[in-house]
Amino acid sequence: MALKDDPQYEYKLALRDWMRTRGLSMRWLASWLEKSETTVKNFLYGTKPISEENKEKIEALQVEYEDGEYSDHTLPLGHHLMALNPNFDPVPKKITYDNKSGIICYLSKKTTSILRSLNLSSISPPTYMYYNKFYIYSYEEVNEFLYEITKETISSYMKKENIGVEKLISSFLPAAYLDSICTGSESEENLTEEEKCLRNSNSRLNVPNQIFRYALIAAAIAGASYVDEWIDRVVYEWARQKQVNDLTKFLDL
């Protein structure tokens, strides 16, 4: 069954978005549900259904998290937050990145436009490189999304191919291979119009090193010609969906 044919697809998507915007990890949710992190990833990113029992727990947790009263809340089915989960952390620290030493990637005009229309938290004001004549953007929410989509892409591939980390490394980490994914190996005449527009754009995205090094693998898995192409595409799709979600919420639909 395809992911979008999953009856719980929209629910899982909304739950992942809720977690991502609050900096909540798979490990955090798994600890609270008393499940393995692998199990939680499988039902959040795959087609395995989330049981009604776990949905009740998740929804109760969301209410608990938003209200901010954590100490003595009895969840459905007699599940107590603190008593049964000594490692439960209602406000975990967000993943942090070294944003000063990132990789500058191409960002298309359409992606730049939609990102600027969203109310995103900019890590620093856009930097204009005078001599090269382009702007560099850096967004906290985009970094969080790229972190999750990179992990999801690689993990799904490993599961589909039934391979481990060592096999993945031998397939995707040779220096020459990654260099071609990083720079793009096609000649100018073989590029599509979309790829040409991307390379001629005056906008760039600062991607933290910790994410970029594995985004190279995700881009290769996805069949992208080079990593900037993949990053621009997935960021555009994410931003477009966020735009829809934000307007839907504003209209109370």
Side-chain angles (χ1 to χ4, degrees), residues 157-197:
Y157 176 81
M158 292 174 65
K159 181 179 179 182
K160 177 184 174 183
E161 299 297 323
N162 193 28
I163 62 172
V165 172
E166 289 188 6
K167 177 63 176 178
L168 181 81
I169 289 174
S170 64
S171 299
F172 291 105
L173 286 185
Y177 182 81
L178 288 188
D179 183 60
S180 68
I181 293 297
C182 184
T183 61
S185 56
E186 311 86 346
S187 60
E188 187 70 22
E189 60 268 19
N190 292 329
L191 295 176
T192 65
E193 286 303 313
E194 186 174 0
E195 289 169 335
K196 289 179 182 178
C197 288

Side-chain angles (χ1 to χ4, degrees), residues 41 146 185 215:
K41 284 182 178 178
L146 284 174
S185 56

Side-chain angles (χ1 to χ4, degrees), residues 35 43 52 91 178:
K35 304 288 183 184
F43 67 56
E52 287 302 313
V91 190
L178 288 188

Side-chain angles (χ1 to χ4, degrees), residues 82-98:
M82 304 304 285
L84 297 182
N85 288 276
N87 296 322
F88 175 76
D89 180 2
V91 190
K93 293 181 174 61
K94 283 192 173 186
I95 299 168
T96 58
Y97 309 102
D98 179 7

Side-chain angles (χ1 to χ4, degrees), residues 191-236:
L191 295 176
T192 65
E193 286 303 313
E194 186 174 0
E195 289 169 335
K196 289 179 182 178
C197 288
L198 178 61
R199 295 193 185 191
N200 292 327
S201 171
N202 65 350
S203 298
R204 304 289 189 273
L205 184 69
N206 184 44
V207 179
N209 284 319
Q210 303 99 304
I211 298 173
F212 184 84
R213 63 187 298 201
Y214 299 120
L216 286 166
I217 299 175
I221 288 171
S225 300
Y226 64 116
V227 67
D228 299 47
E229 175 191 338
W230 180 77
I231 288 175
D232 181 74
R233 173 167 54 82
V234 297
V235 169
Y236 174 80

Side-chain angles (χ1 to χ4, degrees), residues 107-118 203 243:
L107 201 61
S108 66
K109 291 180 180 178
K110 68 176 184 178
T111 304
T112 304
S113 176
I114 198 170
L115 285 175
R116 291 175 66 179
S117 74
L118 300 172
S203 298
Q243 192 178 49

Side-chain angles (χ1 to χ4, degrees), residues 3 10 14 24 30 52 89-90 120 158 212 244 252:
L3 289 178
E10 293 297 333
L24 304 173
E52 287 302 313
D89 180 2
L120 298 177
M158 292 174 65
F212 184 84
V244 171
D252 296 322

